Amino acid sequence: EIYTLSLHDALPIFGDAAPVKQHRYRPNAIKQQYHKEEIKYLLADDFIEPSCSGWSSARILVPKPGGGY
């Protein structure tokens, strides 16, 4: 079955899948500041919302060729 996800769709969980929780890592001060600003922006514009889910993954920043993330 193929799923098309919109901004407000939840990912389907099949069967009795247990939550996956990946360990955090501490980014350097520059990346940490970028994370804070980006999360503040995403929360303010309703792209994301707070969650108490057992599912979590580490945040990843991928550098752009011209600088920045």
Side-chain angles (χ1 to χ4, degrees):
E1 190 168 342
I2 297 174
Y3 290 93
T4 302
L5 299 177
S6 72
L7 184 62
H8 299 288
D9 287 336
L11 294 174
I13 306 301
F14 298 101
D16 56 353
V20 173
K21 186 171 186 131
Q22 297 178 336
H23 295 286
R24 283 182 56 178
Y25 64 92
R26 182 177 291 254
N28 66 35
I30 295 170
K31 288 183 180 179
Q32 206 166 20
Q33 182 62 33
Y34 184 84
H35 278 298
K36 286 181 183 180
E37 292 171 7
E38 190 67 15
I39 289 171
K40 190 185 304 183
Y41 163 75
L42 293 171
L43 282 168
D45 288 351
D46 291 326
F47 286 111
I48 62 173
E49 61 186 35
S51 173
C52 294
S53 172
W55 296 79
S56 68
S57 292
R59 303 167 299 191
I60 298 175
L61 289 177
V62 178
K64 292 182 180 178
Y69 300 100

